[in-house]
């Protein structure tokens, strides 16, 4: 069975600074996706970034980037130039990849990020 | 941008009552899901649905739960006899496959 672990329940960062959220996972699969989701106080689940395990290049979306270390089973999220609107719960998630099929997401426990002015 | 729509946004029900949570997935998506998040906890998979049948379910998804796609657009989650511990945020999601998910904004279910 796959597991996802986020070891930082809470983090804070000053506005405009950089913060890194950690995530590790355990799987015997070789083909999978990894995700970071943001959940603001509205509790909407918003996709931040996605990484396909077969791609060595780290995914980047504007101020958000990941450090994907497949051998170490580590998938951290770096937020650059933090903004007040980044304040939210962040969830790391794993999905086993089936060819042309949907799959379930397995979530970590979440990291509550506070961006301070 | 296409959205997954969930109704109602908040439902209060008495213990033992049946509730139906409704979702309208994105029209060209083929895979549908329900997830649950108890307040302050992580998001948990309940069930996935493809080609008009359940493709996978978790141990949470017991006989009290059922899903249906009654008319080709709606996707519903029914809880037959609600318990206090069913109080949670319920998220519907849809996917066209290959890892792309869209979540709805959730239904907050409160069982009293």
């Amino acid at each position: 069975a796959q597991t996802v672990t986020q070891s930082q329940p809470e983090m804070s960062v000053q506005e405009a600074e950089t913060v890194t959220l950690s995530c590790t996972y355990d799987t015997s699969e070789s083909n999978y996706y990894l995700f970071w989701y943001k959940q603001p106080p509205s509790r909407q689940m918003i996709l931040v970034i996605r990484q396909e395990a077969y791609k060595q290049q780290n995914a980047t979306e504007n101020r958000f980037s990941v450090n994907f270390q497949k051998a170490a089973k580590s998938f951290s999220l770096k937020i650059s130039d933090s903004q007040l609107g980044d304040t939210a719960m962040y969830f790391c998630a794993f999905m086993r990849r089936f060819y042309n099929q949907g799959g379930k997401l397995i979530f970590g426990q979440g990291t509550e990020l506070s961006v301070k002015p | 941008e296409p959205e997954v729509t969930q109704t109602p946004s908040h439902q209060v029900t008495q213990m033992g009552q049946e509730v139906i949570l409704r979702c309208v997935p994105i029209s060209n998506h083929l895979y549908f899901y329900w997830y649950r998040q108890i307040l302050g906890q992580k998001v948990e998979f309940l069930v996935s649905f493809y080609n008009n049948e359940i493709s996978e379910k978790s141990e949470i998804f017991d006989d009290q739960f059922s899903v249906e796609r009654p008319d080709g657009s709606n996707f519903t989650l029914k809880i037959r006899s609600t318990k206090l511990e069913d109080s949670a945020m319920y998220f519907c999601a849809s996917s066209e496959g290959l890892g792309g998910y869209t979540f709805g904004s959730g239904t907050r279910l409160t069982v009293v």
Side-chain angles (χ1 to χ4, degrees):
Chain A
Q2 292 85 17
T3 58
V4 178
T5 302
Q6 294 177 248
S7 58
Q8 305 152 315
E10 297 177 355
M11 292 193 72
S12 65
V13 64
Q14 291 296 130
E15 197 175 6
E17 294 191 347
T18 295
V19 64
T20 299
L21 309 184
S22 301
C23 173
T24 58
Y25 59 95
D26 189 24
T27 185
S28 57
E29 302 289 335
S30 58
N31 218 356
Y32 51 88
Y33 297 97
L34 294 162
F35 304 84
W36 280 98
Y37 279 89
K38 170 184 176 180
Q39 188 179 45
S42 66
R43 298 190 75 183
Q44 172 89 39
M45 294 292 288
I46 302 166
L47 177 65
V48 175
I49 201 163
R50 176 179 106 165
Q51 175 80 41
E52 297 175 50
Y54 69 88
K55 290 186 177 177
Q56 291 188 327
Q57 186 171 6
N58 289 323
T60 299
E61 288 286 341
N62 301 314
R63 297 183 294 108
F64 299 88
S65 61
V66 297
N67 183 4
F68 174 46
Q69 302 288 327
K70 191 172 184 179
K73 296 179 182 172
S74 168
F75 183 62
S76 60
L77 175 70
K78 185 170 85 171
I79 306 174
S80 304
D81 185 26
S82 297
Q83 300 175 359
L84 296 178
D86 295 333
T87 293
M89 180 73 91
Y90 286 81
F91 290 99
C92 178
F94 170 99
M95 178 194 291
R96 181 181 163 193
R97 186 172 190 263
F98 296 94
Y99 176 73
N100 208 26
Q101 292 182 29
K104 68 180 181 186
L105 286 167
I106 299 168
F107 286 89
Q109 306 93 317
T111 296
E112 183 82 53
L113 176 68
S114 297
V115 180
K116 301 186 184 306
Chain B
E1 189 170 327
E3 288 185 344
V4 174
T5 305
Q6 287 188 246
T7 55
S9 57
H10 190 190
Q11 170 114 31
V12 181
T13 189
Q14 291 209 324
M15 192 168 55
Q17 294 296 304
E18 175 183 286
V19 294
I20 298 176
L21 309 184
R22 302 181 192 278
C23 170
V24 180
I26 293 173
S27 60
N28 64 339
H29 283 185
L30 301 175
Y31 305 91
F32 314 111
Y33 311 86
W34 285 100
Y35 286 80
R36 180 180 83 174
Q37 185 184 29
I38 295 171
L39 186 63
Q41 298 187 22
K42 67 178 177 181
V43 181
E44 299 173 292
F45 168 78
L46 289 178
V47 65
S48 59
F49 192 86
Y50 170 71
N51 201 24
N52 284 319
E53 60 183 22
I54 291 173
S55 48
E56 188 174 1
K57 60 183 181 179
S58 72
E59 59 273 14
I60 302 168
F61 194 88
D62 61 21
D63 292 344
Q64 294 296 319
F65 292 90
S66 62
V67 290
E68 204 174 38
R69 190 159 159 79
D71 56 11
S73 61
N74 289 285
F75 179 51
T76 61
L77 174 69
K78 182 193 289 186
I79 309 175
R80 286 191 184 81
S81 178
T82 50
K83 303 188 278 275
L84 293 176
E85 53 265 37
D86 293 327
S87 294
M89 194 78 162
Y90 288 82
F91 291 101
C92 175
S94 69
S95 165
E96 55 188 347
L98 300 178
Y101 254 66
T102 302
F103 279 90
S105 54
T107 293
R108 180 178 297 178
L109 177 65
T110 303
V111 182
V112 297

